[in-house]
Amino acid sequence: MKAETAKSQETKTRLLEGALRVLTEQGIAKTSARTVAAAAGVNQALVFYHFGSVDELLAAACRYGAEQTVARYRERFAVVGSLSELLAVGREMHEQERAVGHVALLGQLIAGASAHPVLRPATTAGLDLWITEIEQVLRRVLAGTPFGEFADPAGLARAVAASFVGIELYEGVDEAGAHAALDALEGLGAVVAALEGLGPVAQRAVRYRLRGAGRGA
């Protein structure tokens, strides 16, 4: 029984990875039980045996792919010490993920969610994994800065994630523009880093001004 269970899990993993490969290389329009099974090297009947439908397989593959990718970067996130470092890691991730086709995959999943409703919660869950990691970093790096008491880490994490998703999709039509956007974010990170380096007196002044802005002064 254990051998069968292990074999079943292996088959499911091959199907998940096959689905991600087909999505990346051929697009969602050409993703079917036949193409996924061929990529996985298994009989296409196993798609329905293990997942019930192609849409359910794609939803599971979306979650699986996000979990695998987030896990690869979790250690990097754990040692980020500033907002500028977070942006630098984000840019490095963008280049690496684009090189292996994951940027194109994200675009396929987001585009496919409108035509395949089952993908919507799965895509959202995948993005939430990233948002959770980013929020943890933001809470840590902003805690000792003038922005710590005013920033909303949960909302800011979503804004950061949305920005990078938008840039990744934008790159498909304007690569130079996408790189300019990344440069601008890094420039913003440099400004924040400069503020983080201010002495106690200057930081108190920044906090005072931020409180005034928050009151509408």
Side-chain angles (χ1 to χ4, degrees), residues 2-15:
K2 289 183 179 179
E4 291 179 357
T5 300
K7 182 175 178 60
S8 176
Q9 185 58 53
E10 178 188 356
T11 300
K12 290 177 69 174
T13 299
R14 289 173 66 179
L15 285 167

Side-chain angles (χ1 to χ4, degrees), residues 17-173:
E17 292 176 348
L20 293 173
R21 190 156 60 251
V22 172
L23 279 169
T24 301
E25 297 173 357
Q26 302 183 42
I28 197 166
K30 294 185 178 180
T31 301
S32 65
R34 181 182 61 79
T35 57
V36 171
V42 301
N43 189 296
Q44 73 180 64
L46 292 173
V47 170
F48 304 99
Y49 176 79
H50 287 291
F51 296 97
S53 70
V54 175
D55 279 357
E56 290 293 345
L57 167 58
L58 293 181
C62 175
R63 290 188 291 267
Y64 172 80
E67 289 166 358
Q68 296 294 307
T69 306
V70 170
R72 286 201 301 272
Y73 292 103
R74 188 163 284 129
E75 290 185 3
R76 294 292 308 280
F77 282 135
V79 298
V80 168
S82 68
L83 184 57
S84 56
E85 285 183 32
L86 175 60
L87 291 170
V89 170
R91 183 156 197 170
E92 178 184 330
M93 287 169 47
H94 170 81
E95 297 299 331
Q96 292 178 352
E97 296 304 301
R98 182 172 63 86
V100 296
H102 290 169
V103 172
L105 172 61
L106 178 61
Q108 289 292 328
L109 290 171
I110 292 175
S114 60
H116 303 266
V118 73
L119 291 182
R120 294 173 191 169
T123 303
T124 299
L127 290 173
D128 281 345
L129 290 174
W130 287 108
I131 290 169
T132 297
E133 295 294 327
I134 295 169
E135 182 180 345
Q136 290 175 355
V137 176
L138 288 172
R139 289 188 183 280
R140 185 176 71 250
V141 303
L142 293 176
T145 74
F147 309 104
E149 64 185 276
F150 307 102
D152 171 17
L156 189 55
R158 283 166 172 75
V160 171
S163 295
F164 275 96
V165 169
I167 288 171
E168 289 179 348
L169 297 178
Y170 181 37
E171 187 173 38
V173 295

